[in-house]
Amino acid sequence: MTRRQSLFGVPLDPLTMDETVQRCLDAVRRGEQIEIGMVNAAKLVNMRRDPLLAEAVAGCDLVLADGQAVVWAGRVLGVRLPERVAGIDLFMRLLAAAEVADIPVYLLGAQEDVLQMMLVQISERFPKLRVAGSRNGYFGDDDQESVADAIADSDARLLFLGMTSPKKEIFTAGYGKRTGAQVVHGVGGSFDILAGITKRAPLVWQRMGLEWFYRTLQEPRRLGKRYLTTNAAFLLMTVRELIHRTPSAGSASANRSY
C-alpha cells in the first residue's frame, strides 16, 4: 500500500488515476467501503477556516489531489504526488468501469432538471450502466438519514455526490457508511458539466492549471472574487510553508559546526 503524504497538515494519497480506479474496484470486489475526499487549492484554504470540513476530509479513506495547483505545491514543498486525479475524470472512469462490470450506481445531487439532463447523457454514453437510483441534492439536514437509507435500499455499490462543499463532505462523514455503498465519491459540479449546463476547460487549460480561470470566465460574478481570494491565500500558504521548511543560514551553519 502506498504511504500517505502530508501537505499543509492534510493527509494525501499519492495515487495515479489508474491506481485510484483499481483501488475502488477492489473495494467493490472485497465488500469494503471507501470514502473519497478530493482537495484543490480552494478547499485546502477553506479547510483552515472550517474545522468541520477539515475533519470530514481528513477522515476519508482516500484523499486525492483534485487540483493541479496542489500537485505543483507538493513539488515545491517536497511532497510526492504523481499526478492530478480530477474528480470529474475519476467519475467518468468509474462509470465506464461500472458499466463493464455491471456494478449498480447511485447519483445524488444537483437541481432536479439538471439531474434529469445528466441521466439522459449518461444513458447515451453508458447504455448498459445500471443506475440503481438517483435524487436531487436539495434536502435539509433533517433528511440526510432518510436519503442515506434510500441509497442503502437501492443496493448501489458506487455513490456519486454532485453537491457543493462542505455539504458533500459532511454528508459523507455522517452518512457515507450508512448508504452501504462500497465507494462514495463527491464529484462537485461534475453533474452540471455532464448535463451540458457548464463547459469544462479545454485540455491545454487543464494542464496549465487554469481550469479555475476558465470557470471564472463562464461565471465571473459568482466565481471571480472567490477564486482570486482563495488562490491568493493558497499561494501565501505555500510560501509560508516553504519558508518554514527551509532552514536559515544561521541554522545551517550551526548544524555544520557539529
Side-chain angles (χ1 to χ4, degrees):
M1 183 175 292
T2 307
R3 186 175 180 179
R4 273 190 157 180
Q5 304 289 308
S6 178
L7 184 65
F8 305 116
V10 177
L12 288 171
D13 293 280
L15 300 176
T16 65
M17 177 66 76
D18 288 343
E19 290 170 338
T20 303
V21 171
Q22 190 58 53
R23 185 77 66 87
C24 293
L25 295 178
D26 287 344
V28 174
R29 179 171 53 84
R30 295 170 183 167
E32 300 172 351
Q33 285 192 306
I34 290 181
E35 296 174 0
I36 300 175
M38 312 295 293
V39 295
N40 54 22
K43 189 176 292 183
L44 285 171
V45 170
N46 290 331
M47 285 169 66
R48 292 201 164 187
R49 302 168 178 171
D50 186 343
L52 284 178
L53 175 61
E55 182 180 358
V57 173
C60 289
D61 302 288
L62 289 180
V63 183
L64 305 167
D66 180 35
Q68 187 62 47
V70 177
V71 177
W72 288 340
R75 291 175 185 170
V76 169
L77 298 172
V79 178
R80 189 191 73 83
L81 299 171
E83 65 182 20
R84 176 193 184 200
V85 181
I88 185 170
D89 293 333
L90 179 58
F91 178 32
M92 300 303 289
R93 285 284 301 271
L94 289 176
L95 287 178
E99 181 185 32
V100 172
D102 192 31
I103 299 171
V105 307
Y106 196 102
L107 301 149
L108 174 65
Q111 296 179 6
E112 185 63 31
D113 58 337
V114 174
L115 176 63
Q116 294 304 319
M117 292 169 67
M118 184 194 67
L119 288 171
V120 170
Q121 292 297 319
I122 284 179
S123 66
E124 292 179 356
R125 295 193 188 194
F126 309 103
K128 295 183 180 180
L129 178 68
R130 187 147 54 106
V131 178
S134 63
R135 191 199 190 285
N136 67 61
Y138 288 80
F139 54 89
D141 292 344
D142 293 341
D143 298 320
Q144 292 187 92
E145 186 174 310
S146 62
V147 170
D149 288 341
I151 297 167
D153 291 341
S154 76
D155 289 326
R157 302 297 90 195
L158 302 180
L159 168 61
F160 300 102
L161 306 176
M163 302 186 295
T164 58
S165 294
K167 185 174 182 178
K168 67 175 181 288
E169 287 84 5
I170 292 174
F171 179 83
T172 297
Y175 297 94
K177 287 182 171 54
R178 189 182 182 106
T179 66
Q182 261 70 64
V183 178
V184 181
H185 175 27
V187 300
S190 298
F191 285 15
D192 287 349
I193 294 174
L194 196 54
I197 302 299
T198 58
K199 293 182 180 180
R200 193 177 183 194
L203 189 57
V204 64
W205 289 58
Q206 297 176 39
R207 290 174 176 169
M208 293 172 63
L210 292 174
E211 198 161 4
W212 65 271
F213 186 56
Y214 191 86
R215 287 192 62 196
T216 301
L217 292 177
Q218 295 183 71
E219 300 181 81
R221 291 186 178 181
R222 187 174 76 87
L223 299 177
K225 184 178 180 180
R226 180 196 306 178
Y227 276 128
L228 289 175
T229 301
T230 54
N231 285 353
F234 183 75
L235 179 60
L236 184 59
M237 278 172 54
T238 305
V239 171
R240 285 177 173 171
E241 186 71 13
L242 182 61
I243 292 172
H244 177 72
R245 293 189 180 195
T246 304
S248 65
S251 298
S253 297
N255 290 337
R256 286 195 296 270
S257 67
Y258 282 98

